[in-house]
């Protein structure tokens, strides 16, 4: 195990000189490009690299069972792409193997730690962003009752839960938090089940919750619907969902969204690579570098901006350490 | 048993079930066991399963096993999403129906015209459904298309433009909402009844009403009309049907296409609930529908019960994972009732001669039931939160248990799954 | 049936130059038949002669390659049975065409349902069926499930199906194969009434006595073509048979007794419950347990059945189908559990598996060869292995000995005159008679001590029939004990050394075949003659 | 025997026609998608320009085929006697996690360690398949529905085990849940020396060409021998072709259901091992799902015979391998699933048609040899 567990942040990424044409390969997680979420955010970063850095890009989606992640990486490597980025923590293991096979190529993996000298781990402090979401929810929830709907009960989503719960409790320790996961780890249908998201959120709203935060992919749509029906609020995830969700009746229930700037991570990595950076470290996109944060579209959290900024400052300054496990 | 007898037994069964649910709610304190919210969720989750099951019923009553329901349902979701975002709910309904029917047509061509094994064809359709829809998404929803502008992605369509209307029962579950008030009093039995009724009548999607109506409609068509008789004859003895001038091929085609349309309708329903097509949203409901149909002994009523079981268990665990442990108590009480009945019978027939012929088997059964009861009761007392994985499988485990208890009374159409060729005797 | 009405009648059906080819077989070749209205017209011919094919053509189930069909003088061309039904033709098939899970009513109205406002009009249908049944003396209960009916009732349902559609021309393809003489008489009575009303009947049977009894005219078909048209008053059964096959008629008589004193099979107190088998409590004798069951009023499929079969003896078991014969066979074979004792020689078999019983020396010619006797989609040599997979020559160790099995299959093919191109041919490519000969050869090849022969010649033509009888007799002479079950009472009387009659699961009479007529035997079988034991 | 040869020839011809038709149908789809079908089909054969990418492609192709083949075998054993073991999916996942966990708890010499792991997998798979078998035999529960339910149960059970009792150590920042790593002695040696023999670069890919391929080949042979040559195989075939006849011939249907189901489950247990022992070295949440369902398609395509299943598995794997190549050629990669589905459908249709033709021919031949086709000339 080449775990180097570095704790540097993006701002410290080393710089160097560029070399020849830049050919960037990127392998998506299941769902692939066009998922309006995680994969698309990564692609946005890649596209930015194309326009701003003049990179030649190639992006591949895996088979629906995800059995060929490693093969995609190798196909990109064999086709001369360097660097190569794997999107999603599921790539961790395959990136490690491929990186060992192709020591001359630089790799990056989103959501997983560096595990080889030529692998950069692009990590996101989802718990920090979720903490802010928790603060916002707890402050806005008059009933003293909020909820969290997770798509799949895996460690990634649990980071969201942990941060959210910590954020809520930081405002009011006796506040009631409902937590529900739609499917267990390994069954990814929880990210694609709006009906289940709706039922779970409906229950929370019926029990008196005012705001429900979701980290449930497409199932979040159901959470928004439940919020709209109950005339309550919801918090989106990953991208600014008040903008990406097209239904106008749902837009208005999205109080804010926890942003996870995978696009920034991908772009910064490519840029750093062009500058000559080498892997072996993790780059954590946290509050400090605005790798995570809250969206302000709609202006619904403008009134508690001070409180949020204070919480953010405490985290950045290290006064608060947000747990990443519930 | 006569028809009246069966009807009465069913009524008594439902009453006992209600009583038990109410008791368990009181004892455990989980109001969600009979809350209107749970039953509304159960209805929402049961409808697509029930529609898939109805699809299975139509096909299998005509002698064609349809394991391809899942694939047809996927086609239904995609086409509903595609038409829905452009032309609204009615178009979504029609397109989803047609999409599913297309899958059914393919199945009919393979199984009826070419005599391909039904399971094989179904498996192929289950491969094709997701493949074709993914392909269509990749072509029609790719970046730069108009659809993508409207919010489509490879894994989802834009939202459908006009969601279907919802209805409530006036007075009782709307407006003054008498049922809702009764429910919130948490009285024994009365509130439970009110909760159930309100859950099934409050703010219900029009498609739910339609779907529920399809059950009696199916019963009427299959068991009360000439067409239904012919259709079922194709599943019981197609050779006899053909020899009486029934066009068995045509009947099978119609049945399987309708079957696909029902599965597609299940898909439409999913799309209506989420207001858009989401890749993978069927999540195996086609298979569950098939299970519900077998569970229901190839009959609409039983099928509805099977779908309701799945919907209820799923709805309950989504709303209140803790309440699921109460079913240990539920099971224990059921076993107690069973034991009580057995003991009463034993005591009633005092003759030793009777006892002898009962044999050891019965005592073993009773002992097992007693042991099971104790274990369940103990579990109920000690476990207060099951790991989520175990909560998720509640409906599946329940189905297995019910099948174990009831399976020997199941009766499938005699020529179900048989490759029928005109003019060839079996 | 008076001859003056016959003469006046005009042809109801005329078949002209009908030719039908199947891949490799010419089933019908230039067939010409004219059936006059209001008569019973019999068609006879050996198996595979093309009778059923011809009838299926007339009923629109198959299209002729050549030839014309005229019904009531008009040229017709049927595309499906419904066209034929419209033309007033109805057919009762060689095998029952009934949906077991449907009621009698549903079976009858299927395809011609009366409807009222979209609904199936059950009331009207019931009325019509009851009227029809009363008019033709065919008792049925329209509400009953067909699976609960006996063969006689089913036959009546089949006929009602045809009458319900208003058929004026009835085709009956071997309707009597499964009926006892009394039921046959009843059927014939019905047919006579029908013809008297002006209906026309085309009747197919292998039982030539019956044919001579009922027919007004007979057409003989051999190898797909009409060879003769005869008047039943002018021929004997023997002549008719010779016309069919062109050879002398065999008789099923056993010549001299070979019965020995050694008991080969001993069946004692065999009892089977209708609603699932429950083992008797330990230590309780079977007789007492059976008494208990009777006291409880349980329905018994086999009720205290006891008999012995000696070495070299053929025991005939007579009975109307559904009286426990199948259950008896399955109990002896160990396919269904039963109470009581079964001993082969000195060995007690009860509790043994089917396989062990077979290995101990029981052979089994099943009543339905397609259901229990053959793997239709497997080769002949594999069918030779079936039931002998644990014995030489089919087995060596855990392996199937393919070479030896093949060789032994060739032996059977030669010894039993199975007409086949080779041992790798699939069983379904053989005609029924040849399939049956293969089964007989297979069951004999294990050198069994005891053989169950259930309807060994059912649906088999006269030539093959004689060959099978010969084989049974030879084996009997060599000491084989045989339990013979047959619906063909001539066969039963001719072959058996002793006849037992089974009625409602009980053995009700033991008869001596040398002084019994089929009619009297039928009396015992139907319970018309009470079970006085004579020997 | 010409009869058998005839049948085989027909089958092959039918399959060829079906594949050509499938390709034609998919070409239409590709054209409709605005891509070039020729480019698409070139992509299937495009294993990259460099020697290394070619050997990687071959390894990816073979490594995909191995589990598919085993899955096909598992399904086929049941199908042979009309037992629809839809539960292969659950059986292999549960077996894989148990085997991976047990294998990680001890260290022994390679042959022993690997054998133990294989045995554990087979036993767990077999036992899990025993449940529906017993339910069918004792209570007559339809095995299709029982195995579908058991699939859901197994999938949830594995995800409980992998994050609960069987969870292993993870590197910091690693989010994939996993069982403990297997010791080196558990890893199955790869077959990369083959490439050396032919003077080709060995694949760099993960574990190279998985050595489990050999186990699969042996398994295929064993299954073939058992099904085609032994008494047990005969009983299976007889039960499948005609249940009542098998019963009357002394085959105990209950034993057969249990035996066939357990054998099917035991084989299913091995499906996950190539991946675990060849590459991953643990069971984790990236473990390939869905092979059980694909196995059904593969078995059907291969007509439930080992050789056919091998060909079908290779075909599926060949198509699956092109996932990346198609995207590089700007063709929607979902055409792979479409081709697979269409081929399964068309091949079975072709099977039916050719079967019928072959039977007809055989009947005709039988009739000709017996001279039954000449009607006698007799005057009326
Ligand atoms: N569907 C078919 N396909 C091929 N050959 C057939 C078909 N039906 C019948 N035959 C052939 O036609 C011949 C005539 O068969 P048919 O069933 O008409 O005989 P049959 O006279 O009714 O015999 P049986 O007395 O046994 O009923 C048979 O030898 C058979 O080989
Ligand atoms: N539907 C069919 N399709 C193909 N072949 C058939 C069909 N029906 C009958 N045959 C052929 O007819 C022949 C005999 O048919 P059947 O089973 O009716 O035997 P049978 O008339 O009882 O035999 P036999 O003439 O030897 O007494 C066989 O060669 C069989 O292949
Ligand atoms: Mg015949
Ligand atoms: Mg016939």
């Amino acid at each position: 195990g080449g775990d180097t567990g570095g704790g540097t942040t993006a701002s410290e990424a080393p710089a160097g000189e560029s070399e020849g044409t830049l050919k960037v390969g990127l392998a998506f997680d299941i769902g692939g490009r066009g998922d309006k979420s995680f994969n698309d955010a990564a692609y946005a970063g890649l596209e930015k690299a194309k326009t701003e850095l003049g990179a030649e890009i190639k992006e591949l989606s895996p088979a629906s069972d995800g059995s060929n992640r490693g093969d995609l990486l190798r196909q990109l490597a064999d086709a001369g792409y360097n660097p190569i980025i794997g999107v999603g923590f599921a790539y961790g293991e395959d990136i490690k193997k491929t990186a060992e096979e192709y020591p001359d190529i630089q790799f990056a993996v989103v959501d997983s730690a560096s595990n080889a000298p030529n692998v950069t781990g692009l990590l996101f402090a989802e718990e920090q962003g979720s903490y802010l979401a928790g603060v916002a929810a707890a402050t806005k929830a008059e009933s003293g009752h909020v909820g969290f709907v997770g798509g799949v009960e895996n460690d990634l989503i649990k980071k969201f839960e942990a941060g959210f719960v910590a954020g809520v409790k930081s405002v009011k320790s006796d506040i009631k938090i409902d937590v529900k996961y739609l499917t267990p780890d390994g069954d990814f249908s929880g990210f694609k089940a709006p009906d289940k998201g709706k039922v779970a959120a409906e229950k929370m709203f019926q029990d008196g919750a005012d705001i429900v935060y979701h980290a449930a992919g497409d199932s979040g749509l159901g959470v928004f619907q439940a919020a709209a029906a109950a005339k309550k609020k919801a918090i989106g995830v990953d991208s600014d969902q008040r903008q990406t969700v097209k239904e106008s009746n749902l837009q208005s229930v999205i109080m804010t969204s926890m942003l996870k700037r995978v696009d920034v991570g991908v772009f910064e990595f490519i840029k750093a690579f062009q500058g000559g950076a080498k892997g072996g470290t993790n780059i954590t996109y946290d509050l400090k570098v605005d790798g995570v944060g809250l969206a302000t579209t709609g202006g619904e959290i403008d009134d508690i901006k001070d409180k949020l900024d204070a919480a953010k400052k405490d985290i950045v300054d290290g006064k608060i350490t947000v747990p990443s496990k519930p | 048993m006569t028809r009246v007898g069966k009807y009465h037994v069913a009524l008594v069964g439902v009453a006992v079930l209600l009583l038990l649910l109410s008791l368990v709610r009181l004892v455990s304190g989980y109001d969600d066991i009979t809350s209107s919210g749970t039953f509304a969720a159960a209805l929402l989750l049961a409808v697509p399963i029930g529609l898939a099951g109805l699809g299975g019923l139509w096909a299998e009553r005509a002698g064609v096993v349809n394991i391809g329901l899942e694939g047809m349902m996927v086609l239904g979701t995609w086409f509903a999403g595609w038409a829905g975002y452009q032309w609204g709910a009615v178009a979504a309904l029609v397109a989803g129906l047609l999409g599913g029917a297309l899958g059914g047509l393919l199945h009919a061509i393979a199984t009826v015209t070419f005599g391909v094994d039904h399971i094989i064809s179904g498996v192929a359709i289950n491969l094709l459904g997701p493949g074709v829809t993914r392909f269509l998404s990749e072509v029609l929803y790719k970046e730069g298309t108009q659809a993508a502008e409207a919010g489509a992605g490879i894994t989802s369509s834009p939202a459908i433009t006009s969601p279907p209307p919802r209805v409530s029962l006036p007075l009782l579950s709307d407006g003054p909402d008498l049922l809702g008030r009764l429910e919130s009093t948490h009285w024994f039995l009365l509130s439970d009844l009110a909760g159930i009724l309100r859950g099934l009548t409050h703010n219900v999607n029009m498609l739910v009403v339609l779907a529920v109506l399809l059950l009696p409609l199916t019963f009427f068509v299959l068991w009360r009309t000439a067409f239904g008789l012919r259709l079922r004859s194709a599943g019981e003895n197609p050779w006899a049907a053909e020899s009486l001038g029934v066009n068995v091929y045509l009947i099978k085609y119609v049945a399987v296409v309708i079957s696909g349309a029902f599965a597609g309708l299940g898909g439409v329903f999913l799309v209506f609930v989420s207001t858009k097509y989401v890749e993978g949203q069927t999540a195996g409901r086609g298979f569950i529908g098939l299970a519900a149909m077998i569970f229901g002994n190839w009959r609409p009523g039983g099928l509805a019960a099977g779908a309701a079981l799945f919907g209820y268990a799923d709805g309950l665990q989504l709303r209140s994972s803790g309440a699921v442990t109460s079913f240990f108590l539920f099971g224990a009480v059921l076993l107690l009732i069973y034991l009580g009945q057995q003991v009463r019978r034993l005591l009633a027939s005092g003759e030793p001669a009777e006892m002898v012929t009962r044999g050891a088997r019965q005592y073993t059964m009773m002992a097992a039931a007693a042991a099971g009861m104790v274990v369940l009761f103990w579990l109920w007392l000690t476990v207060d939160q099951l790991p989520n994985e175990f909560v998720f499988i509640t409906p599946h485990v329940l189905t297995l248990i019910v099948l174990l208890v009831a399976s020997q009374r199941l009766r499938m159409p005699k020529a179900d799954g048989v490759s029928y060729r005109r003019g060839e005797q079996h | 049936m008076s001859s003056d009405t016959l003469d006046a009648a005009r042809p109801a059906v005329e078949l002209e130059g009908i030719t039908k080819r199947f891949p490799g077989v010419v089933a019908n070749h230039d067939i010409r038949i004219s059936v006059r209205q209001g008569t019973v017209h019999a068609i006879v011919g050996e198996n595979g002669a093309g009778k059923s094919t011809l009838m299926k053509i007339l009923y629109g189930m198959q299209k002729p390659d050549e030839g014309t069909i005229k019904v009531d003088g008009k040229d017709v061309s049927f595309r499906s049975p419904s066209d034929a039904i419209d033309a007033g033709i109805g057919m009762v098939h060689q095998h029952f065409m009934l949906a077991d899970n449907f009621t009698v009513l549903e079976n009858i109205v299927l395809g011609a349902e009366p409807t009222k406002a979209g609904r199936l009009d059950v009331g009207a249908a019931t009325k019509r069926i009851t009227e029809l049944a009363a008019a033709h003396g065919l008792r049925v209960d329209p509400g009953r499930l067909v699976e609960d009916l006996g063969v006689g009732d089913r036959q009546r349902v089949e006929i009602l199906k045809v009458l319900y559609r208003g058929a004026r021309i009835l085709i009956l393809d071997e309707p009597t194969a499964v009926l006892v003489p009394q039921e046959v008489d009843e059927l014939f009575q019905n047919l006579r009434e029908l013809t008297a009303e002006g209906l026309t009947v085309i009747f197919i049977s292998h039982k030539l006595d019956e044919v001579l009894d009922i027919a007004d005219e007979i057409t003989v078909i051999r190898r797909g073509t009409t060879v003769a048209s005869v008047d039943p008053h002018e021929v004997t059964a023997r002549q008719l048979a010779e016309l069919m096959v062109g050879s002398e008629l065999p008789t099923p008589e056993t010549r001299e007794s070979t019965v020995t004193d050694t008991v080969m099979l001993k069946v004692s107190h065999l009892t089977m419950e209708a609603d699932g088998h429950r083992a008797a409590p330990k230590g309780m004798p079977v007789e007492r347990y059976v008494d208990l069951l009777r006291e409880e009023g349980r329905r018994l499929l086999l009720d205290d059945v006891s008999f012995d079969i000696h070495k070299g003896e053929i025991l005939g078991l007579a009975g109307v189908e559904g009286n426990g014969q199948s259950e008896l066979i399955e109990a002896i074979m160990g396919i269904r559990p039963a109470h009581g004792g079964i001993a082969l020689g000195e060995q007690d078999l009860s509790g043994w598996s089917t396989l062990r019983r077979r290995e101990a020396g029981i052979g089994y010619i099943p009543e339905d060869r397609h259901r229990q006797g053959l793997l239709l989609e497997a080769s002949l040599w594999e069918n030779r292995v079936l039931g002998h997979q644990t014995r030489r020559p089919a087995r060596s160790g855990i392996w199937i000995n393919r070479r030896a099995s093949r060789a032994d299959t060739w032996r059977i093919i030669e010894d039993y005159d199975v007409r086949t191109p080779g041992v790798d041919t699939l069983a379904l490519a053989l005609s029924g008679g040849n399939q049956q000969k293969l089964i007989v050869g297979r069951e004999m090849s294990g050198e069994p001590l005891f053989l169950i022969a259930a309807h060994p010649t059912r649906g088999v033509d006269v030539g093959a029939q004689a060959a099978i009888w010969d084989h049974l007799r030879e084996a009997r002479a060599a000491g084989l004990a045989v339990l013979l079950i047959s619906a063909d009472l001539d066969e039963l009387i001719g072959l058996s050394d002793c006849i037992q009659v089974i009625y409602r699961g009980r053995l009700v009479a033991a008869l001596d075949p040398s002084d019994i007529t089929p009619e009297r035997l039928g009396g015992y079988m139907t319970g018309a003659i009470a079970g006085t034991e004579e020997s | 025997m010409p009869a058998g040869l005839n049948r085989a020839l027909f089958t092959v011809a039918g399959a060829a026609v079906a594949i050509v038709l499938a390709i034609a149908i998919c070409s239409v789809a590709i054209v409709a998608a605005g891509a070039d079908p020729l480019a698409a089909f070139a992509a299937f054969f495009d294993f990259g320009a460099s020697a290394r990418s070619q050997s990687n492609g071959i390894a990816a192709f073979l490594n995909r085929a191995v589990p598919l083949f085993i899955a096909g075998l598992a399904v086929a054993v049941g199908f042979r006697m009309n037992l629809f073991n839809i539960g292969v999916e659950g059986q292999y996942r549960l077996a894989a996690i148990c085997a991976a966990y047990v294998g990680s708890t001890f260290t022994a010499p390679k042959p022993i360690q690997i054998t133990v792991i294989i045995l554990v997998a087979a036993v767990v798979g077999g036992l899990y398949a025993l449940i529906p078998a017993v339910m069918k035999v004792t209570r007559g529960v339809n095995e299709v529905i029982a195995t579908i339910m058991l699939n859901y149960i197994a999938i949830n059970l594995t995800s409980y085990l992998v994050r609960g009792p069987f969870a292993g150590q993870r590197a910091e920042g690693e989010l994939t849940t996993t069982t403990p790593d297997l010791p080196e002695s558990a890893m199955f040696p790869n077959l990369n020396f083959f490439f050396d023999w032919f003077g080709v670069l060995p694949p760099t890919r993960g574990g190279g060409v998985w050595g489990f391929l050999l186990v699969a080949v042996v398994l295929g042979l064993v299954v073939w021998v058992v099904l085609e040559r032994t008494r047990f195989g005969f009983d299976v075939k007889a039960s499948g072709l005609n249940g009542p006849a098998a019963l009357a011939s002394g085959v105990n249907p209950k034993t057969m259901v249990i035996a066939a189901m357990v054998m099917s489950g035991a084989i299913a247990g091995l499906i996950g091992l190539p991946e675990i022992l060849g590459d991953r070295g643990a069971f984790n949440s990236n473990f390939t799902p869905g092979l059980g369902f694909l196995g059904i398609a593969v078995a059907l395509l291969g007509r439930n015979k080992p050789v056919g299943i091998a060909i079908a598995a290779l075909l599926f794997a060949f198509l699956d391998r092109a996932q990346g190549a198609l995207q590089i050629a700007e063709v929607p990669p979902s055409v792979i699933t479409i081709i697979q589905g269409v081929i399964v459908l068309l091949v079975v249709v072709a099977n039916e048609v050719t079967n019928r033709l072959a039977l007809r021919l055989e009947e005709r031949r039988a009739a000709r040899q017996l001279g039954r086709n000449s009607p006698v000339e007799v005057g009326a």
Side-chain angles (χ1 to χ4, degrees), chain B residues 155-398:
Chain B
T155 57
S156 62
S157 74
I160 55 176
T161 44
S162 57
R166 301 169 158 276
V167 291
S168 292
L169 215 57
L171 269 186
L172 287 178
S173 48
D174 208 20
D177 195 7
L178 298 178
L179 286 173
R181 287 190 204 173
L182 187 56
E183 185 193 354
S184 50
T185 56
H186 300 306
W187 288 340
F188 173 67
L189 207 53
L190 279 181
S191 299
D192 300 301
L193 259 175
I196 294 172
L197 285 180
R198 183 171 184 273
L200 302 183
T201 53
H202 173 70
N203 206 11
V204 176
N205 193 319
M206 269 314 284
L207 196 58
V208 173
V209 179
L210 180 72
V212 172
L213 284 181
L214 284 174
L215 283 166
L217 184 72
T218 293
F219 177 79
F220 176 77
V221 172
L222 291 191
W223 274 271
R224 290 286 178 268
T225 67
F227 169 74
L229 183 67
R230 293 176 183 206
L231 190 144
R232 286 184 298 123
S233 74
E236 295 286 346
N237 189 343
W239 303 275
E242 190 81 55
S243 79
L244 293 178
V246 174
N247 189 339
V248 174
Y249 281 2
L250 181 69
I251 289 270
K252 287 193 180 228
Y253 258 89
V254 170
V256 179
V257 169
I258 290 181
S259 163
F262 272 118
L265 195 61
V268 174
F269 184 78
L270 289 173
V271 167
F272 278 5
V273 168
S274 56
T275 69
K276 62 164 72 168
Y277 158 77
V278 177
E279 190 176 85
Q281 72 194 135
T282 56
R285 282 184 178 84
F287 293 110
I288 302 287
L290 204 64
M293 181 209 58
I294 296 174
F295 177 98
N297 203 7
W298 287 265
R299 298 190 136 261
L303 149 82
L309 173 69
F310 272 99
Y312 176 75
D314 213 11
L316 186 64
Q317 70 88 0
L318 278 171
R319 286 175 61 90
S320 171
S321 350
V324 175
T325 51
S326 321
F327 279 83
F328 290 134
L329 181 64
F330 188 77
V333 174
L334 273 186
L335 284 180
L336 189 72
I337 294 178
Y338 169 79
L339 273 179
Q341 266 187 344
Q342 293 297 321
V343 171
R344 217 190 55 189
R345 251 202 242 164
L346 274 185
L347 294 182
S349 60
E351 297 166 57
E354 263 278 13
M355 307 257 310
V356 176
T357 61
R358 290 193 178 274
R361 197 190 163 95
Q362 196 150 6
Y363 291 111
T364 330
M365 292 276 288
M366 286 173 63
M373 189 189 76
V374 171
V375 170
L376 284 178
F377 196 70
W378 176 77
L379 278 176
W380 176 67
L381 284 179
T382 51
V383 179
D384 40 46
Q385 177 75 58
L386 279 172
N388 268 340
E389 285 88 355
F390 293 110
V391 177
F392 293 131
I393 56 177
T394 327
H396 309 102
V397 174
L398 277 180

Side-chain angles (χ1 to χ4, degrees), chain C residues 23-24 26 227 335 355 358 370-372 374 382 385-387 389-390 398-400 402 419 421 424-426 431, chain D residues 225 229-231 234-235 237 242 244-245 247-251 359-360 362 364 366-367 369-370 373 378-380:
Chain C
V26 182
V227 290
I335 296 173
L355 186 66
R358 275 184 164 270
H370 285 184
R371 206 175 87 84
Q372 286 194 311
L374 291 171
E382 284 169 299
V385 173
L386 189 70
Q389 56 266 50
T390 56
I398 61 164
W399 311 108
I400 293 291
R402 298 157 70 92
R419 310 259 172 93
D424 288 309
T425 310
L426 301 186
S431 77
Chain D
V225 168
R229 289 289 184 265
T230 65
R231 223 192 93 197
F234 182 85
D235 288 352
K237 181 170 184 183
N242 186 349
L247 178 66
S249 76
V251 178
L359 281 182
R360 277 233 185 128
E362 179 153 349
R364 189 177 306 188
Q369 292 190 9
L370 297 176
N373 55 341
V378 204

Side-chain angles (χ1 to χ4, degrees), chain C residues 59-75:
Chain C
Y59 190 56
M61 291 177 86
Q62 260 154 3
K63 275 186 87 72
D65 297 330
E66 289 163 27
T68 55
I69 304 172
K70 278 188 191 155
V71 176
D72 295 331
K74 282 196 293 280
D75 264 330

